Amino acid sequence: MFLFFTTSVMAEAVKVEKVDVLDKKVSLNMPTTFSEMGKDVMKVKYPANNRPTQVYTNADTTVNIAFNYTANKIAENQLDVFSQQMKAMLANFSPKISKVDVNGQKAVMFDFITPAADTEIHNLMLAMSVDGRLLLTTFNTTKEEAAQWLEVGRESLLSVKVN
């Protein structure tokens, strides 16, 4: 069963639906126009061996929600230390870091812009502990599409729920 919601912040509404991901381990509200990225496309878009576990994208693959359920052990009370490590790793991109509550669970959100071959990419990354392991949920959009998608992505990340 799909539940439909509409974001309230957009002048032009984007419809979202609740989607179960990572073998139904978590769910979140995602734009209805997004579909799961195929493995072949993922290999091109994320060439490194540490590519995300699962990715959903728009038709042009310019706006993505990626999930990386890592093997790294982390407890909720270790998120502050993790955020400082990530801040150091992302220092060249001047990340904005905020502590957030996501459906009653502590999490950290990183907001930063990275260069790409022909544009800039605006990234929002949510870090949280799920069953004692690190879950990174990342929303990214091209600079050109950020005005339309960035707040939708933020709302999607903040809707993550551990099932």
Side-chain angles (χ1 to χ4, degrees):
M1 178 176 130
F2 289 112
L3 300 173
F4 290 91
F5 303 89
T6 305
T7 60
S8 58
V9 297
M10 302 298 300
E12 188 176 338
V14 173
K15 290 183 181 178
V16 299
E17 63 187 351
K18 181 182 174 197
V19 177
D20 291 319
V21 298
L22 300 173
D23 294 325
K24 299 185 179 184
K25 186 165 282 301
V26 297
S27 61
L28 77 162
N29 297 333
M30 186 181 306
T32 58
T33 56
F34 281 27
S35 60
E36 189 167 1
M37 184 181 285
K39 298 293 182 198
D40 292 341
V41 177
M42 275 180 64
K43 287 179 183 176
V44 172
K45 192 142 180 94
Y46 300 93
N49 286 333
N50 61 349
R51 72 181 50 91
T53 311
Q54 195 170 9
V55 180
Y56 285 79
T57 188
N58 67 342
D60 298 327
T61 68
T62 54
V63 183
N64 307 288
I65 299 177
F67 305 89
N68 193 358
Y69 189 41
T70 72
N72 300 340
K73 301 284 185 200
I74 192 166
E76 216 174 62
N77 65 2
Q78 295 172 307
L79 286 171
D80 285 341
V81 171
F82 174 77
S83 69
Q84 292 308 308
Q85 292 169 341
M86 286 299 293
K87 182 178 182 179
M89 287 175 56
L90 297 170
N92 290 343
F93 308 114
S94 304
K96 295 176 192 157
I97 301 171
S98 54
K99 294 178 185 180
V100 293
D101 180 78
V102 181
N103 288 304
Q105 194 167 345
K106 292 180 182 177
V108 179
M109 176 120 27
F110 303 87
D111 184 337
F112 56 100
I113 296 172
T114 54
D118 55 352
T119 188
E120 289 182 322
I121 305 296
H122 200 130
N123 302 273
L124 299 174
M125 182 172 61
L126 184 74
M128 61 194 305
S129 176
V130 175
D131 294 334
R133 290 171 43 197
L134 178 64
L135 172 64
L136 297 173
T137 305
T138 307
F139 173 85
N140 60 55
T141 179
T142 60
K143 173 180 70 172
E144 294 78 12
E145 295 182 273
Q148 177 185 357
W149 288 105
L150 198 58
E151 198 55 40
V152 174
R154 187 178 316 278
E155 289 181 17
S156 289
L157 294 183
L158 293 174
S159 76
V160 169
K161 184 177 180 190
V162 178
N163 296 328

